[in-house]
């Protein structure tokens, strides 16, 4: 009798533990990457090579994220500052760190009008610029062939406002409309295993700019131009999360491309910031082809918009209410 009571008492805590964990089967995730993985997504951050020496930065990055986007290190001014001279030191630093941690890498970005060296902007001939662009893509995407999950092949090629026009960049002016598809073709040749994305901002909701991008993607799919995904940067503030973000992601997904939140940050603080983050994450989770979410930095203190404290960790790497909100949506 005494012996069986002992057995019963010993079993009670085990049963209690089973009851607590049984209904949802698995326990709630305690990191962003685990929460996202359980939902079949990756959760990334923009990573700056020159912060990889800071231990709290690295600890937070490695613990929470399973995808890295080099914040500046793969841009044209960093990789081909002079014509035909390729420099990969900082890009390699980010790629090697990420791959050493088992993180996916999102390449950013092959063709963009900003952070573009003067020697490129000064090319006057369309045929010369086209061959320079192809050579740049062939070298940069070729160097990381097989190591990049997604490339932002062309970034921010559409104008703001209601025109739906292409942005008047040097590529658009000299080469004309064809430069975007030529960039995608060159990227496919350089790295056939990378998924190729078009990336832009102010395209998160349905508006003239996102519709112009939509029409381009539809045309590319119809004509067999190699495009696999569309990135929605989602640089937002608490008042500016579009109410139709889910519908917008879904209409792109319906074209047969994956959709990614690529540079998420939301200016604000406290509950309103937490709620805004939750709305974006929920919208992505509601779209099955929305399979990657990236925040544009690890900590507020190094954000490009630091004064707006737009990220999930504060300057001391403490989890903000926005972090808890994102994690709880991922766990929901
Ligand atoms: O502007 C926010 C993002 C919009 N979408 C494309 C992204 O590539 C872009 O990222 C930002 C980086 O977060 C900034 O870090 O792009 C900026 C440049 O357009 C980056 O800022 C630059 C500064 O302007 C330079 O002065 C500085 O040398 O960062 C450079 C490296 O720290």
């Amino acid at each position: 009798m005494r012996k069986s009571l002992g057995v019963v008492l010993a079993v009670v805590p085990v049963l209690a533990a089973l009851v607590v964990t049984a209904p949802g089967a698995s326990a709630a995730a305690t990191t962003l990457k685990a929460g996202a993985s359980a939902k079949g997504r990756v959760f990334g951050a923009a990573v700056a090579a020159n912060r990889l020496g800071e231990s709290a930065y690295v600890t937070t990055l490695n613990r929470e994220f399973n995808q890295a986007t080099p914040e500046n290190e793969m841009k044209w001014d960093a990789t081909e500052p002079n014509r035909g001279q390729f420099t990969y030191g900082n890009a390699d630093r980010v790629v090697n760190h990420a791959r050493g941690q088992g993180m996916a890498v999102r390449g950013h970005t092959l063709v963009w009008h900003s952070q573009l060296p003067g020697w490129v902007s000064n090319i006057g001939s369309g045929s010369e610029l086209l061959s320079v662009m192809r050579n740049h893509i062939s070298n940069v995407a070729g160097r990381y062939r097989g190591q990049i999950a997604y490339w932002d092949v062309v970034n921010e090629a559409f104008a703001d406002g209601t025109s739906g026009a292409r942005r008047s960049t040097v590529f658009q002016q000299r080469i004309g409309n064809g430069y975007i598809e030529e960039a995608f073709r060159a990227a496919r040749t350089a790295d056939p295993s990378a998924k190729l994305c078009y990336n832009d901002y102010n395209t998160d909701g349905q508006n003239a700019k996102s519709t112009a991008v939509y029409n381009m993607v539809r045309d590319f799919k119809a004509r067999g131009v190699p495009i696999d995904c569309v990135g929605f940067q989602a640089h937002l503030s608490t008042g500016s999360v579009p109410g139709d973000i889910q519908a917008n992601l879904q209409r792109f997904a319906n074209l047969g491309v994956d959709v990614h939140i690529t540079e998420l940050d939301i200016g604000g603080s406290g509950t309103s910031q937490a709620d805004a983050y939750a709305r974006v994450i929920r919208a992505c989770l509601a779209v099955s082809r929305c399979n990657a979410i990236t925040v544009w930095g690890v900590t507020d203190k190094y954000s490009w918009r630091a004064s707006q404290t737009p990220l999930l960790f504060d300057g001391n790497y403490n989890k903000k209410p926005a972090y808890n909100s994102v994690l709880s949506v991922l766990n929901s």
Side-chain angles (χ1 to χ4, degrees):
M1 193 61 201
R2 255 172 56 222
K3 191 174 177 195
S4 62
L5 181 64
V7 168
V8 168
L9 288 176
V11 163
V12 164
V14 175
L15 286 175
L18 283 175
V19 167
V20 167
T21 54
S26 55
T30 57
T31 63
L32 300 172
K33 66 181 177 188
S37 292
K39 290 279 194 283
R41 271 78 175 177
V42 295
F43 208 104
V47 175
N50 62 354
R51 307 298 179 195
L52 289 173
E54 185 179 321
S55 74
Y57 181 94
V58 171
T59 303
T60 308
L61 171 67
N62 293 354
R63 188 187 67 227
E64 298 289 341
F65 300 98
N66 56 2
Q67 183 185 260
T69 306
E71 186 172 357
N72 290 294
E73 294 76 356
M74 287 183 171
K75 293 171 180 174
W76 201 312
D77 62 353
T79 51
E80 194 185 5
N82 301 300
R83 187 167 179 161
Q85 251 177 44
F86 292 88
T87 53
Y88 294 113
N90 282 328
D92 283 355
R93 264 171 215 118
V94 177
V95 171
N96 292 339
H97 180 87
R99 287 170 56 79
Q101 291 292 320
M103 298 176 187
V105 180
R106 185 181 188 91
H108 176 82
T109 172
L110 294 167
V111 179
W112 189 28
H113 64 277
S114 185
Q115 289 171 289
L116 187 66
W119 71 265
V120 183
S121 317
N122 290 334
I123 293 173
S125 138
S127 59
E128 186 182 355
L129 184 57
L130 179 58
S131 84
V132 159
M133 183 188 82
R134 285 184 178 137
N135 184 58
H136 180 77
I137 294 170
S138 154
N139 274 277
V140 178
R143 175 175 179 94
Y144 297 104
R145 183 183 178 115
Q147 304 181 36
I148 305 289
Y150 308 106
W151 261 115
D152 289 331
V153 177
V154 176
N155 193 43
E156 302 176 7
F158 283 81
D160 289 317
T162 56
S163 71
R166 296 286 190 86
R167 186 187 291 271
S168 180
T169 68
V170 65
F171 302 103
Q172 182 68 31
Q173 287 170 17
R174 304 282 189 273
I175 305 172
N177 278 341
Y179 87 90
I180 299 182
E181 63 191 83
E182 288 309 320
F184 276 85
R185 291 196 184 97
R188 182 68 98 221
T189 303
D191 186 354
S193 67
K195 293 205 170 180
L196 306 181
C197 308
Y198 175 78
N199 191 51
D200 215 326
Y201 67 89
N202 280 353
T203 50
D204 315 303
Q206 305 198 41
N207 55 42
K209 187 176 176 183
S210 66
T211 296
V213 175
Y214 175 88
N215 289 335
M216 177 188 75
V217 174
R218 189 175 54 184
D219 170 56
F220 280 11
K221 295 299 282 184
R223 290 190 296 113
V225 177
I227 185 167
D228 306 302
C229 36
V230 176
F232 300 83
Q233 294 184 8
H235 292 297
L236 300 167
S237 53
T238 51
S240 77
V241 178
D244 58 0
I245 183 166
Q246 179 185 328
N248 189 50
L249 295 172
Q250 188 64 59
R251 74 169 171 157
F252 278 85
N254 292 347
L255 293 175
V257 289
D258 288 343
V259 291
H260 301 148
I261 306 292
T262 51
E263 303 184 13
L264 178 61
D265 55 10
I266 304 181
S269 62
T271 310
S272 59
Q273 185 180 47
D275 290 348
Y277 263 100
R279 288 203 289 282
V280 175
I281 306 302
R282 264 191 228 110
C284 177
L285 293 182
V287 176
S288 61
R289 291 196 81 138
C290 185
N291 47 24
I293 301 167
T294 303
V295 288
W296 203 241
V298 175
T299 159
D300 281 342
K301 71 175 166 174
Y302 298 141
S303 164
W304 71 296
R305 34 190 313 217
S307 65
Q308 297 165 68
T309 61
L311 292 171
L312 302 177
F313 292 90
D314 70 16
N316 296 315
Y317 298 95
N318 295 310
K319 296 170 180 174
K320 295 165 60 179
Y323 172 95
N324 294 320
S325 162
V326 169
L327 185 60
S328 93
V329 173
L330 292 172
N331 276 325
S332 65

